Amino acid sequence: MQANLATLLATIPEISLCSSADLYGGEEPGLPVLKIQGASGSAAVALQGAHLLSFIPAGGRELLWLSPKAVFAADKAIRGGIPLCMPWFGRHPEGLPAHGFARSSNWDVSEVEILGNGDIKVVLVLHDTAATQALWPHAFVFRLALTVGRELTLALSVENLSDQPAPFSQAFHSYLAVPDVTEIAISGLDGCTYVNTLLEGHPRKVQEGDLHVQSLTDRVYLNVPAKQVISHGSGQTHIVSDTHSAIVWNPWEDAAKLADVGQGNYPGFVCVERGDVLDNALTIAAGGVYRASMTLSE
Ligand SMILES: O=P(O)(O)OC[C@H]1O[C@@H](O)[C@H](O)[C@@H](O)[C@@H]1O
């Protein structure tokens, strides 16, 4: 773990360093997790992956789903919360790890701050190493600024420090807690073209009205509006992002094949992931910067 972390955290009692084993069980020593307890909201973020595990606005409910079967192990993406998929989303054509390496890499904390309104800001950074260069041959700095208050904001910047253009796609892979996925309605996708990645040839269709998830679902919506709202029995979850794609995923009965989801647990979440993927993927120019943000609220 980074050398100066204890000194950095000593300035802000609202942030403490815990182990995933203390918070969520599983084998000791687990993974390091920052617990953030602010006046307007609380959150937990694993340093591996800069991975949000929990967000609860003050007086509100948990907005994120963390799998009861989640495994907290080095180099393994944690199931639930908000993994960061980048610098590529989904399967890699040359068989490199799905969803990139950001979610399984160890990030450093570079800043912690209490803002004027009491919200708490934490900035995590990841730099290239020989191991990342072997997967994505670019010098880079990934920076994720988290702001925890009544809303949760993730502000991402990706700097391509190399002298070559860098192909890039990314998603904030949010697992949203819902009482029953079969009873939700997702608005903010009406009229958008989506790619059904479950069907042969990945056919494209246009969404009509709200989306209701009633079976195994894996779709990439392109050029979506800034806001989606997930309405469910216990209220609503609002997502706002300046990215251009939205991926909607629920494994349904296939959850039985995913040991860290577990049979029978799929009704408790829906993934509505905002990012820039497929047609919305891009190239970051040599020396260029990609910026994206997403806000979650009740
Ligand atoms: O098991 P992983 O690598 O975390 O991926 C989970 C899912 O992530 C979603 O974003 C993809 O659309 C799905 O195809 C994929 O199955």
Side-chain angles (χ1 to χ4, degrees):
M1 203 183 313
Q2 72 186 91
N4 65 343
L5 184 56
T7 318
L8 199 59
L9 296 182
T11 58
I12 302 200
E14 287 85 349
I15 307 178
S16 50
L17 184 63
C18 310
S19 139
S20 62
D22 295 338
L23 295 173
Y24 306 111
E27 277 180 37
E28 296 279 3
L31 296 175
V33 175
L34 294 184
K35 212 167 169 318
I36 301 165
Q37 185 64 61
S40 315
S42 64
V45 56
L47 301 186
Q48 178 171 289
H51 189 142
L52 249 304
L53 302 171
S54 162
F55 169 58
I56 307 176
R61 64 186 169 83
E62 175 65 74
L63 264 62
L64 300 177
W65 181 84
L66 179 64
S67 175
K69 303 257 185 193
V71 176
F72 296 90
D75 307 326
K76 181 175 165 43
I78 303 160
R79 182 69 68 187
I82 313 182
L84 291 175
C85 302
M86 60 178 191
W88 58 86
F89 173 83
R91 291 206 192 118
H92 189 280
E94 286 149 34
L96 298 180
H99 289 328
F101 51 79
R103 63 178 180 165
S104 50
S105 300
N106 283 317
W107 293 55
D108 284 337
V109 180
S110 67
E111 282 171 54
V112 288
E113 187 185 350
I114 306 238
L115 303 179
N117 63 359
D119 289 1
I120 298 178
K121 182 176 170 189
V122 176
V123 182
L124 297 113
V125 291
L126 181 71
H127 295 267
D128 59 292
T129 60
T132 68
Q133 287 270 359
L135 298 169
W136 197 61
H138 302 280
F140 66 78
V141 52
F142 297 166
R143 188 174 277 107
L144 182 74
L146 304 172
T147 309
V148 179
R150 197 149 287 286
E151 302 182 331
L152 170 73
T153 298
L154 290 79
L156 174 70
S157 71
V158 173
E159 257 182 280
N160 175 11
L161 302 175
S162 75
D163 58 7
Q164 295 298 319
F168 181 80
S169 53
Q170 78 89 12
F172 300 109
H173 192 317
S174 309
Y175 287 76
L176 304 172
V178 293
D180 183 346
V181 74
T182 64
E183 293 181 359
I184 65 170
I186 306 174
S187 68
L189 300 172
D190 183 27
C192 297
T193 296
Y194 67 87
V195 180
N196 189 339
T197 60
L198 294 171
L199 298 179
E200 187 70 28
H202 294 180
R204 292 175 178 227
K205 276 182 97 170
V206 174
Q207 177 69 35
E208 289 177 20
D210 288 354
L211 171 62
H212 300 271
V213 177
Q214 298 296 330
S215 59
L216 171 63
T217 300
D218 200 353
R219 298 180 176 185
V220 178
Y221 287 83
L222 299 166
N223 303 314
V224 301
K227 182 167 184 171
Q228 284 72 46
V229 179
I230 294 91
S231 301
H232 44 75
S234 45
Q236 293 187 323
T237 303
H238 296 238
I239 308 177
V240 177
S241 174
D242 56 3
T243 59
H244 303 92
S245 316
I247 302 97
V248 180
W249 177 62
N250 183 285
W252 217 256
E253 302 285 354
D254 276 6
K257 299 180 202 155
L258 300 169
D260 58 358
V261 175
Q263 195 165 18
N265 287 329
Y266 72 85
F269 72 92
V270 64
C271 289
V272 180
E273 314 162 31
R274 292 298 308 270
D276 285 308
V277 313
L278 294 188
D279 304 25
N280 299 134
L282 58 143
T283 297
I284 309 175
V289 187
Y290 164 88
R291 291 181 208 281
S293 69
M294 181 181 74
T295 297
L296 294 185
S297 59
E298 278 191 300

